[in-house]
Amino acid sequence: MIKVMTIFGTRPEAIKMAPVIGELRRHTNDIRTVVAVTAQHRQMLDQVLSLFHIVPDYDLDIMSQGQTLYDITTKALLGLQPVLAEEKPDLVLVHGDTTTTFAGALAAYYQRIPVGHVEAGLRTGNIYSPFPEEMNRKLTGGVASLHFAPTETAKANLLREQVQENHIFVTGNTVIDALMKTVSPNYRFADPVLQKIDFRTKKVILLTTHRRENLGEPMRHIYKALRAVTEEIGDAEIVFPVHRNPLVRRAVEEELAGAARVHLIDPLDYEPFANVMSRSYLIVTDSGGIQEEAPSLGKPVLVLRDTTERPEAVQAGTVRLIGTDKERVYTETKRLLTDSAAYDTMRRAVNPYGDGHAAARIAAAVLFATGKTASRPDEFHLSL
Ligand code: UD1
Ligand code: UDP
């Protein structure tokens, strides 16, 4: 029996680790699964834990309002020390690129516990964009001995950094596993605001913003541009689940409060959110995970960033990087609302990020790497 501890702390990590925990738990004869959360996020984490029926064995409850990177890093690192010392797992799994990811990997490394990195190898090549995620990924990659790369592109990035090829497993992204279990044409919204929106006749823009490098002026420019678009185009509506970061909330309040056909709501739980995505006309976002989910739903995405570590859907044509310049956000959004040919070329459903079996491949790779099975699992191959 091997003991595998998963460590995560934010909404997207939980969404993407939930399928992994589910698969690890299927191997009851070989794997004991322990779940530790830092709770870098609180409400946004808890809704995912509850949706996927995950009760953490350890909850560090570190979130504080307006927390800094120093707060998160030190609280997570110190909090994980006794947890790891008590459990002595054979392997720690961390996910992606948050500060919890990096602190979790470092905490395990200090106790010489091997680390597996889920969603390994994403890179922009710019350590300040996204900030601090690009560095969190690189540092976690430096610590990890197993790298679960979602795509061939991610694997190639790791090979360039001299990671040994036999330590890399191309698995697909587990977010597609989660999405496939969550989107349903029969889903009915409980939220009265969403119930009233006619997704069939209106052009609904789903908007999310939270990146640290977009806080301040860039976010204000985005909001001004989108406000202008909805004022001009009568059948456009914006659904904007506003992130709980107080800096995001302040800018939203100042720029968008009272704007016509702009629905400002609290962050949505994953199930309603995924189902809004599947029914909306267009997605405008600076999120990483949404760039992976929307292409499989056939939804065009305008990305409010200058770089992306997820180039596959840009190459496939369903995602376009537009940055945060006010004029550009206005023009690109308006074009997709008014030029049906431009819209149609972007709306193709593609699955560059996964086929729904990533978590099973990760569990199989864990068994292989720990000597429980003899054969290396099959890998995920991109299909466009
Ligand atoms: C974090 C991650 C980012 C990830 C994002 C996903 C870091 C440095 N950033 O950014 O990589 O893309 O999560 O959403 O790891 N808050 C609440 N309740 C919650 C969650 C957040 O009130 O459930 C508020 C708190 O005031 C908190 C603030 O939001 O201080 C920011 O949260 P934080 O985790 O520091 O950064 P995010 O921008 O969420
Ligand atoms: N998401 C959600 N509710 C929301 C906004 C996003 O459940 O109100 C989901 C979304 O479907 C995706 C993940 O959260 O799976 C992305 O999280 P976020 O954008 O916060 O982080 P990132 O992916 O940029 O790290």
Side-chain angles (χ1 to χ4, degrees):
M1 201 70 170
I2 55 160
K3 191 190 277 186
V4 178
M5 183 186 284
T6 56
I7 300 177
F8 53 97
T10 66
R11 169 174 67 193
E13 291 166 78
I15 292 169
K16 291 165 162 184
M17 275 300 218
V20 178
I21 293 167
E23 283 296 327
L24 293 174
R25 285 194 171 148
R26 288 185 53 235
H27 298 275
T28 41
N29 292 332
D30 291 316
I31 300 176
R32 205 182 135 226
T33 311
V34 180
V35 177
V37 297
T38 61
Q40 172 178 337
H41 284 175
R42 189 68 273 172
Q43 307 92 316
M44 286 162 60
L45 172 75
D46 290 345
Q47 52 96 3
V48 186
L49 295 176
S50 133
L51 173 66
F52 291 106
H53 310 291
I54 297 169
V55 179
D57 300 287
Y58 297 90
D59 187 331
L60 303 184
D61 197 22
I62 68 168
M63 195 196 89
S64 57
Q65 286 302 322
Q67 61 201 356
T68 67
L69 297 177
Y70 298 92
D71 297 326
I72 310 168
T73 311
T74 52
K75 283 200 226 167
L77 192 63
L78 284 172
L80 287 168
Q81 181 184 10
V83 172
L84 290 163
E86 184 179 316
E87 288 289 343
K88 297 186 177 41
D90 300 291
L91 177 69
V92 158
L93 294 182
V94 293
H95 180 280
D97 57 17
T98 71
T99 294
T100 287
T101 313
F102 167 56
L106 188 62
Y109 170 72
Y110 283 162
Q111 297 187 34
R112 294 176 192 267
I113 298 165
V115 172
H117 188 195
V118 181
E119 195 178 281
L122 276 62
R123 299 285 184 272
T124 61
N126 179 346
I127 62 167
Y128 295 108
S129 177
F131 172 84
E133 289 82 3
E134 177 79 354
M135 188 48 76
N136 284 340
R137 289 178 194 132
K138 286 176 70 121
L139 294 169
T140 305
V143 167
S145 46
L146 294 175
H147 306 259
F148 304 108
T151 65
E152 289 290 340
T153 313
K155 175 178 175 177
N157 291 336
L158 292 168
L159 291 175
R160 262 197 301 280
E161 294 174 13
Q162 318 305 328
V163 175
Q164 280 184 41
E165 188 162 13
N166 62 337
H167 293 176
I168 308 172
F169 297 84
V170 179
T171 60
N173 198 308
T174 57
V175 79
I176 305 300
D177 303 25
L179 186 72
M180 284 178 172
K181 290 197 187 89
T182 311
V183 169
S184 160
N186 302 323
Y187 183 80
R188 288 177 63 83
F189 297 112
D191 183 329
V193 175
L194 296 177
Q195 276 176 358
K196 281 203 206 101
I197 295 172
D198 187 348
F199 287 89
R200 280 161 310 169
T201 58
K202 300 290 177 194
K203 289 182 174 157
V204 174
I205 304 169
L206 177 60
L207 172 65
T208 80
T209 58
H210 73 82
R211 296 243 80 83
R212 271 178 160 73
E213 64 273 22
N214 282 348
L215 292 172
E217 279 311 293
M219 266 181 208
R220 289 177 191 283
H221 287 165
I222 294 163
Y223 304 151
K224 283 191 168 87
L226 292 174
R227 182 175 188 145
V229 171
T230 31
E231 274 165 6
E232 249 177 74
I233 298 175
D235 60 352
E237 304 217 2
I238 293 181
V239 173
F240 187 0
V242 182
H243 193 285
R244 294 198 182 275
N245 187 333
L247 296 174
V248 177
R249 300 210 143 203
R250 195 178 316 143
V252 169
E253 188 56 34
E254 284 167 21
E255 301 295 345
L256 286 173
R261 299 187 306 285
V262 176
H263 307 282
L264 303 176
I265 54 179
D266 278 340
L268 285 167
D269 289 356
Y270 185 55
E271 200 177 18
F273 185 81
N275 284 288
V276 173
M277 260 196 302
S278 76
R279 287 165 210 201
S280 57
Y281 181 83
L282 168 67
I283 298 172
V284 182
T285 187
D286 61 10
S287 162
I290 296 170
Q291 288 179 61
E292 296 157 339
E293 294 167 325
S296 12
L297 300 170
K299 300 297 169 184
V301 187
L302 296 176
V303 176
L304 303 160
R305 296 173 48 183
D306 300 317
T307 59
T308 184
E309 56 289 310
R310 294 166 168 95
E312 295 86 350
V314 177
Q315 279 148 20
T318 61
V319 167
R320 181 172 300 145
L321 288 186
I322 62 166
T324 56
D325 175 73
K326 196 163 63 182
E327 269 309 303
R328 178 108 199 262
V329 173
Y330 170 84
T331 313
E332 296 275 2
T333 309
K334 189 171 164 191
R335 191 158 68 94
L336 289 186
L337 293 171
T338 53
D339 176 346
S340 56
Y343 180 79
D344 287 340
T345 58
M346 282 187 77
R347 77 188 294 201
R348 211 160 61 88
V350 289
N351 278 308
Y353 296 111
D355 57 2
H357 302 292
R361 289 191 190 94
I362 291 168
V366 166
L367 290 172
F368 172 67
T370 52
K372 294 275 169 199
T373 52
S375 54
R376 213 182 145 85
D378 291 340
E379 302 214 319
F380 167 66
H381 294 289
L382 174 92
S383 63
L384 287 179

